[in-house]
Amino acid sequence: MSATAANRDTPGIYSKAGSLRAERRWALWTAYISLVIAAIIFLAPPFYMLITSLKTSGEIATMTGNPWLVRDPTLENYTAIIFNPMFQRFMLNSIIITTCVVALTMVISILAAFALARMRFWGSQVLATGVFLTYLVPDTLLFIPLYQIVGGLGLLNSIFGLILVYPTLTVPFCTWIMIGYFASIPKELDEAALIDGATWSQMLLKIFIPVALPGIIAATIFAFTVSWAAFVYPTAFVTTPDQMPLTIGVVSQLVRADTFAWGQIMAGALMAALPPVVIYAFLMDYYIAGLTAGATKG
Amino acid sequence: MAQVSLRKIIKAYEGGVQAVKGIDLEIEDHEFVVLVGPSGCGKSTTLRMIAGLEEITGGEIAIGGTVVNDIPPRDRDIAMVFQNYALYPHMSVYDNMAFGLTLRKFPKAEIDKRVKEAARILDITPLLDRKPKALSGGQRQRVAMGRAIVRDPKVFLFDEPLSNLDAKLRVQMRTEIKKVHQTVNTTTIYVTHDQVEAMTLADRVVVMNHGIIEQVGPPQVLYHTPATRFVAGFIGSPSMNFIAARLEETSGALRLHLPAGMSVDVPEARVARYRAYAGKDVIFGIRPEHLTDDKPTDKTNPAPMMLTPEVIEPMGMETLAHFKLEGTELTARLDPATPASVGQPLRLIAHMDQMHLIDPTTDKVI
Amino acid sequence: MAADGSLAVSGVSSVSRGRANTMQRFARRRSTIAFMMTVPLLAIIIGLVAYPAAYAIYLSTLNRRMTAFAGTLNFELLFDSNTFWNVAFQSCFFAITAVLLKASIGFWLAHMLHHIPNKGQRKWRGMLLVPWVIPPALSTLGWWWMFDPSYSSINWLLAVISVPEVPWLGHPWAARISIIIVNVWIGTPFFMIMYLAALKSVPEQLYEAAMIDGASSWQRLRYVTLPMMANIISITVLFSLIVTFANYDIVRVLTNGGPRDLTHVFASYAFQVGILSGNIPRGAAVSLFMFPILAICAFFVLRSVTRRNKEQM
């Protein structure tokens, strides 16, 4: 009796388990196929840029054959662009601007976030909301009045003008996520520090900054990538090549050459994109933490 | 080492809500005082005012004879252990313990000596290089205590330090804390909501409720002679049974009339104390441990009651039986050998020499 | 305990004992220090965001040479011009289409990524985020070259499957679609990563409970995943709507507004008019048209974020 019951049940169970397994396997295949297609599409443009940058001008000029393959790869585009004094100047400008902006941003936003997260004062709530709203104001809404203001200060065509205005891109978001990181530190920790005899500055330097270090790294990466990639402000405020950062420099100056030296342009673009990509490759987790922090923290 | 005095301490928040409503308390040097009460009773707020983490709305707090109302926490010479330990996550155990001394610019050798000594007392010497993340709950607790000990402060403050630990560890750490206090002998103020912790640790227990002190006294005094219905119910586990009753006098003897037509005699020794309440409604309080099953040998003051258990909970060394007496829940502690079962009427004895009577109008124990 | 969870020793006014004690002075000094610490931030918000925004309004009321007040003349002239209406249409069309595509593809990919075994996720996530990491102006340059009319590598691929040549940047609608393609390519990884984070924050037990209650995988998505992610989805979509609507880089590099000014969006048109043609007031007027739409989005973002914070407390 029990044996027959078992016999009757087993195929049922197995077919159920089988279908469940098949369903899972099917889902997994869909996932992998989608991801492979997405990866091909997502990586194709940078790959094509790389291929182009390895081609000789002659090969590009023939404009025949499979464009996705390179017949005789060469590094001449890279040597040409690296020893191009204009490109060197762009690179130097980008480095100066980004370094200054990142330093300024981090000092301003850490101080402000500490004050806003821990030392509530009159209007601090309003200010925190204001920070978030400022973050939502896009640069394309402000570049015309800022053009007038920067012009009034005599800083058009100067990297200092850019150093002045870039913090509007970085400070609000960095402050916002730092508020989130600082607020997530349990308040018993500062009470313990207070009882241990720490002053406000010691509390910030010895407790908050080390404890929120992952957040600080994430914010720093954000500030770096944003100021490295900024495009609207330099396009609007800088027209002389020697004050241009990389983005606008590569887009406007290299392209302007009479015969489009596509190999060199792509080499330049890839070189210009390299620093953020390298930082991303090595600090991916912090990068992603910073990216998602805007909506999930604070 | 110092005594701590609280004089008419008030804590009010914006909007006029008073968390602490004017409490007075004198804590002697070397004393271990536990503030106990349900959540929201003002015990933590009181502790935080002593620490200087909350502003004092009214009254005065003095530590070692100095009024500290205006002194920020770092200059009060106190150390505190927090509920979630509040260890600095980026520092090693050693640095956590040394931090307070470093900020106070102690010489390196002195810091090292003190940290090592505290680590020895707490048995955490092998953990000194670890980060808090790598420690278990009990170990973190020890480090938090170590951080307090190295400072050699006037007063130790503990804010529910054991409530994040599991039951077994909690008992272990409780003993540990008592041992540490016996070694370093610093005045200690300890906040908990757990009356067992309060009873086991304290030299004196302060029972708080709704921002006032209900009663202050050594654990045994609180247990045997609670001053109010709140203390009577709060101290002791399972808590005291309260039964609405009526006190009647018949020819010089007092008799308590309970619900369901039952009645018990008030022992002669108590008659004088309760005579004024004759003919009035009172609340009869009796602890479960004084409501036991009838043993023929036990004839001290038999006040028999026939009750039918609804739930039986065997605990090993004893058995708890729960009854219902006209809507009032009652608990009795039975000998585990007694064959009790649900639905079988049981003859119980109330040990009337341990009885309490409460005036329902004032909630004071008579 | 301070109800707001801060260290604030709240200045309770009931202590009117006449003299300010040291604790109070300590508290007051602390709030002065706190205020000082936010001064640089305030300077940026007021000096470089609020003031320019107000200044833009003022600028938009001037005449071309900025010598006299011209009232609403700039706006009237814009309303009369066909180009402007084209710009308005293109901005809305571009932003809405691109955001919808980014959100749906991003959601799909996040879901797929969530389904594969954990140890492979990092690698895939790392690859799929690359478009977001490259500065947009530079990757758009690569796309421009891929769209090149005489040697388009995309057309070459299409030719392999016998699709006729597409005049990517030469024809208005093709150019519009090209811009959307590039924007979707750049922005989808952001959606993917946000949704993946949201998916990961849904407790596994909820799915298990739903499974035991007999929910199919579609029902689990509909009744567990989507409601749990609703807030993140709305925040991300609104936020992206703002950024996409105000986009400049792609249009500038890819088409520069052409052909025949038909692919201009507000930002690139404002740039064209204000900076390149030197008509600052008119340019300011164009950029101000972004403001109402952005303000509406910003309002809803703020509301979602506040609601989310309340839920998390």
Side-chain angles (χ1 to χ4, degrees):
Chain A
M1 175 74 190
S2 66
T4 51
N7 270 344
R8 209 179 325 118
D9 283 355
T10 15
I13 289 169
Y14 275 126
S15 72
K16 257 237 147 63
S19 81
L20 200 63
R21 210 169 348 145
E23 197 183 304
R24 280 217 183 108
R25 197 187 303 145
W26 190 81
L28 206 60
W29 273 111
T30 325
Y32 278 120
I33 291 168
S34 313
L35 292 176
V36 167
I37 294 173
I40 290 173
I41 296 174
F42 282 7
L43 296 177
F47 173 75
Y48 187 56
M49 290 166 83
L50 180 69
I51 290 292
T52 309
S53 72
L54 297 174
K55 291 180 181 176
T56 58
S57 317
E59 187 179 341
I60 297 170
T62 58
M63 294 199 168
T64 49
N66 186 344
W68 295 88
L69 294 178
V70 50
R71 274 184 294 274
D72 34 4
T74 168
L75 286 176
E76 67 183 27
N77 292 318
Y78 286 94
T79 45
I81 201 76
I82 287 169
F83 293 109
N84 180 341
M86 200 155 66
F87 186 81
Q88 290 171 345
R89 184 75 216 182
F90 297 157
M91 186 61 103
L92 183 68
N93 286 339
S94 267
I95 291 170
I96 296 172
I97 295 169
T98 306
T99 313
C100 294
V101 171
V102 168
L104 265 174
T105 303
M106 290 324 290
V107 171
I108 293 174
S109 53
I110 286 175
L111 286 179
F114 181 65
L116 289 174
R118 273 307 200 269
M119 310 155 89
R120 307 249 161 146
F121 54 94
W122 187 84
S124 61
Q125 270 302 309
V126 181
L127 187 55
T129 312
V131 168
F132 188 68
L133 280 178
T134 318
Y135 165 53
L136 295 178
V137 177
D139 45 2
T140 44
L141 193 65
L142 297 177
F143 70 94
I144 289 182
L146 281 175
Y147 180 82
Q148 288 294 102
I149 293 167
V150 172
L153 296 170
L155 291 173
L156 284 180
N157 278 324
S158 151
I159 57 170
F160 297 106
L162 298 180
I163 293 171
L164 177 72
V165 296
Y166 275 18
T168 60
L169 305 171
T170 54
V171 166
F173 184 74
C174 290
T175 309
W176 179 251
I177 64 170
M178 286 319 298
I179 292 176
Y181 276 104
F182 282 162
S184 70
I185 295 175
K187 75 177 190 325
E188 281 85 357
L189 216 58
D190 20 318
E191 292 177 349
L194 216 56
I195 288 174
D196 269 345
T199 60
W200 288 102
S201 52
Q202 283 169 325
M203 200 189 288
L204 176 62
L205 291 173
K206 298 199 167 158
I207 308 291
F208 272 72
I209 291 182
V211 173
L213 198 61
I216 290 173
I217 296 174
T220 310
I221 294 175
F222 173 85
F224 170 83
T225 36
V226 164
S227 34
W228 192 267
F231 189 66
V232 178
Y233 289 155
T235 316
F237 303 160
V238 180
T239 46
T240 51
D242 67 326
Q243 298 291 313
M244 280 182 178
L246 271 168
T247 43
I248 180 63
V250 168
V251 169
S252 72
Q253 297 307 306
L254 297 184
V255 172
R256 193 178 285 170
D258 286 337
T259 52
F260 283 5
W262 281 108
Q264 271 197 42
I265 295 173
M266 290 302 135
L270 285 177
M271 301 271 299
L274 201 60
V277 173
V278 166
I279 284 186
Y280 165 69
F282 285 100
L283 300 168
M284 186 164 82
D285 291 324
Y286 293 109
Y287 188 98
I288 288 170
L291 210 57
T292 48
T296 53
K297 280 204 189 275
Chain B
M1 313 284 151
Q3 67 272 37
V4 178
S5 328
L6 278 63
R7 296 178 204 118
K8 302 252 173 305
I9 291 302
I10 294 173
K11 176 71 199 181
Y13 292 111
E14 275 137 300
V17 184
Q18 286 202 344
V20 177
K21 299 169 186 164
I23 61 172
D24 287 293
L25 186 63
E26 288 293 327
I27 297 164
E28 298 304 318
D29 201 3
H30 307 311
E31 200 177 14
F32 196 123
V33 167
V34 176
L35 307 182
V36 68
S39 56
C41 70
K43 57 189 191 301
S44 274
T45 313
T46 306
L47 190 79
R48 291 167 58 83
M49 283 193 283
I50 298 171
L53 298 171
E54 296 275 348
E55 198 186 355
I56 300 156
T57 315
E60 261 182 0
I61 293 179
I63 298 174
T66 327
V67 174
V68 296
N69 285 33
D70 296 356
I71 297 175
R74 64 167 169 273
D75 301 325
R76 290 191 184 192
D77 200 6
I78 42 145
M80 185 155 169
V81 176
F82 292 86
Q83 178 172 357
N84 60 5
Y85 323 129
L87 299 180
Y88 309 121
H90 57 294
M91 295 183 192
S92 67
V93 167
Y94 184 98
D95 291 335
N96 258 288
M97 286 162 69
F99 188 62
L101 300 176
T102 321
L103 291 179
R104 287 183 167 76
K105 309 224 156 36
F106 274 67
K108 258 205 147 66
E110 172 71 9
I111 296 177
D112 193 63
K113 201 188 95 201
R114 287 205 193 182
V115 172
K116 296 250 164 81
E117 171 67 9
R120 194 190 54 75
I121 294 175
L122 292 162
D123 213 10
I124 50 173
T125 313
L127 308 177
L128 283 176
D129 294 329
R130 291 212 199 155
K131 289 273 171 68
K133 232 185 6 233
L135 302 180
S136 70
Q139 290 168 334
R140 287 180 200 185
Q141 184 60 62
R142 282 166 207 262
V143 177
M145 267 158 59
R147 193 165 66 179
I149 293 172
V150 291
R151 292 262 317 279
D152 190 20
K154 285 185 188 148
V155 185
F156 278 160
L157 306 174
F158 288 83
D159 191 2
E160 309 226 9
L162 302 182
S163 38
N164 281 5
L165 298 176
D166 63 50
K168 198 173 163 194
L169 208 51
R170 198 178 306 161
V171 175
Q172 208 180 318
M173 286 310 296
R174 203 168 69 197
T175 324
E176 200 72 28
I177 290 176
K178 195 153 191 172
K179 231 189 277 171
V180 168
H181 181 249
Q182 282 158 5
T183 321
V184 298
N185 216 358
T186 307
T187 313
T188 302
I189 306 173
Y190 185 107
V191 162
T192 178
H193 61 268
D194 179 357
Q195 55 95 15
V196 180
E197 250 170 59
M199 299 287 280
T200 47
L201 285 171
D203 294 328
R204 275 195 307 157
V205 177
V206 178
V207 183
M208 290 184 70
N209 191 27
H210 296 309
I212 56 158
I213 292 179
E214 294 268 345
Q215 191 175 2
V216 184
Q220 287 305 319
V221 172
L222 258 59
Y223 180 79
H224 289 293
T225 56
T228 63
R229 176 176 175 166
F230 177 81
V231 177
F234 192 80
I235 301 288
S237 173
S239 55
M240 189 185 282
N241 298 305
F242 293 113
I243 311 163
R246 200 175 167 80
L247 195 63
E248 297 290 357
E249 183 168 9
T250 24
S251 57
L254 290 175
R255 198 165 170 79
L256 267 176
H257 292 273
L258 306 178
M262 274 188 279
S263 60
V264 286
D265 283 322
V266 173
E268 263 172 55
R270 298 284 184 103
V271 169
R273 192 160 139 196
Y274 296 146
R275 177 152 289 140
Y277 285 85
K280 290 187 181 159
D281 284 329
V282 290
I283 293 169
F284 170 51
I286 185 101
R287 294 192 185 278
E289 46 270 47
H290 304 135
L291 190 63
T292 58
D293 46 329
D294 189 11
K295 274 180 239 138
T297 49
D298 189 2
K299 289 288 177 216
T300 43
N301 192 345
M305 301 160 86
M306 281 303 284
L307 287 168
T308 312
E310 289 195 326
V311 178
I312 306 265
E313 297 176 328
M315 313 272 283
M317 60 173 282
E318 65 194 13
T319 297
L320 293 182
H322 299 277
F323 311 90
K324 200 166 245 169
L325 187 61
E326 283 193 356
T328 313
E329 305 270 358
L330 294 184
T331 307
R333 284 187 146 162
L334 311 179
D335 188 314
T338 311
S341 60
V342 174
Q344 287 284 317
L346 207 63
R347 198 177 133 90
L348 298 176
I349 291 184
H351 299 257
M352 296 302 283
D353 50 336
Q354 301 285 354
M355 69 174 281
H356 301 280
L357 277 192
I358 296 152
D359 181 346
T361 53
T362 59
D363 274 346
K364 292 255 189 302
V365 176
I366 303 161
Chain C
M1 248 158 267
D4 55 2
S6 69
L7 253 182
V9 183
S10 47
V12 179
S13 52
S14 50
V15 212
S16 41
R17 275 187 291 173
R19 68 187 171 93
N21 62 37
T22 353
M23 278 287 275
Q24 277 174 310
R25 246 180 288 139
F26 177 70
R28 204 173 301 145
R29 211 185 70 212
R30 203 208 45 217
S31 61
T32 318
I33 296 172
F35 181 75
M36 295 307 290
M37 286 163 82
T38 57
V39 163
L41 174 76
L42 276 172
I44 285 176
I45 292 183
I46 294 170
L48 294 172
V49 179
Y51 168 67
Y55 189 49
I57 298 173
Y58 167 73
L59 281 175
S60 71
T61 63
L62 298 179
N63 68 3
R64 180 172 185 143
R65 293 203 187 137
M66 296 196 276
T67 47
F69 181 73
T72 55
L73 181 72
N74 284 308
F75 295 94
E76 285 162 27
L77 287 174
L78 282 175
F79 282 133
D80 285 339
S81 92
N82 267 334
T83 314
F84 174 77
W85 290 110
N86 277 333
V87 167
F89 166 77
Q90 165 65 4
S91 297
C92 298
F93 172 73
F94 163 65
I96 292 168
T97 319
V99 169
L100 285 180
L101 283 172
K102 283 188 276 190
S104 20
I105 302 173
F107 186 82
W108 174 256
L109 289 179
H111 218 70
M112 294 300 106
L113 210 47
H114 191 55
H115 268 293
I116 66 170
N118 255 321
K119 61 179 192 305
Q121 282 185 17
R122 238 183 94 84
K123 194 178 62 195
W124 283 102
R125 196 182 56 177
M127 271 195 285
L128 295 178
L129 204 61
V130 166
W132 179 260
V133 180
I134 303 173
L138 301 171
S139 53
T140 312
L141 206 55
W143 277 97
W144 188 32
W145 173 225
M146 284 168 60
F147 288 138
D148 187 86
S150 45
Y151 192 49
S152 162
S153 59
I154 300 175
N155 280 341
W156 187 89
L157 286 178
L158 292 177
V160 172
I161 51 168
S162 341
V163 174
E165 205 160 271
V166 181
W168 287 109
L169 304 176
H171 182 272
W173 276 103
R176 283 174 177 155
I177 289 169
S178 308
I179 292 171
I180 290 171
I181 291 176
V182 177
N183 185 268
V184 169
W185 179 82
I186 292 172
T188 302
F190 172 72
F191 278 85
M192 183 192 77
I193 224 73
M194 295 299 285
Y195 291 162
L196 186 64
L199 279 173
K200 287 203 182 301
S201 70
V202 179
E204 196 58 37
Q205 272 112 324
L206 282 185
Y207 290 115
E208 287 166 0
M211 233 133 103
I212 286 166
D213 283 342
S216 66
S217 61
W218 161 248
Q219 284 169 322
R220 290 200 295 274
L221 180 71
R222 168 71 188 76
Y223 295 106
V224 180
T225 316
L226 283 180
M228 294 294 285
M229 288 175 65
N231 220 321
I232 277 280
I233 291 178
S234 64
I235 292 172
T236 318
V237 165
L238 289 164
F239 175 74
S240 176
L241 213 49
I242 294 178
V243 175
T244 313
F245 195 72
N247 188 283
Y248 170 76
D249 310 18
I250 299 173
V251 178
R252 160 70 179 79
V253 176
L254 214 55
T255 66
N256 214 350
R260 288 178 284 121
D261 283 347
L262 284 171
T263 58
H264 265 311
V265 290
F266 278 121
S268 64
Y269 189 57
F271 196 94
Q272 174 86 31
V273 173
I275 309 280
L276 299 180
S277 316
N279 191 345
I280 294 269
R282 188 82 53 82
V286 172
S287 67
L288 279 176
F289 275 97
M290 283 189 271
F291 186 74
I293 298 162
L294 300 182
I296 292 167
C297 291
F299 169 78
F300 283 107
V301 175
L302 196 65
R303 213 179 58 162
S304 309
V305 168
T306 328
R307 194 180 295 157
R308 196 181 153 77
N309 284 352
K310 281 206 190 98
E311 274 167 18
Q312 283 177 338
M313 262 184 228

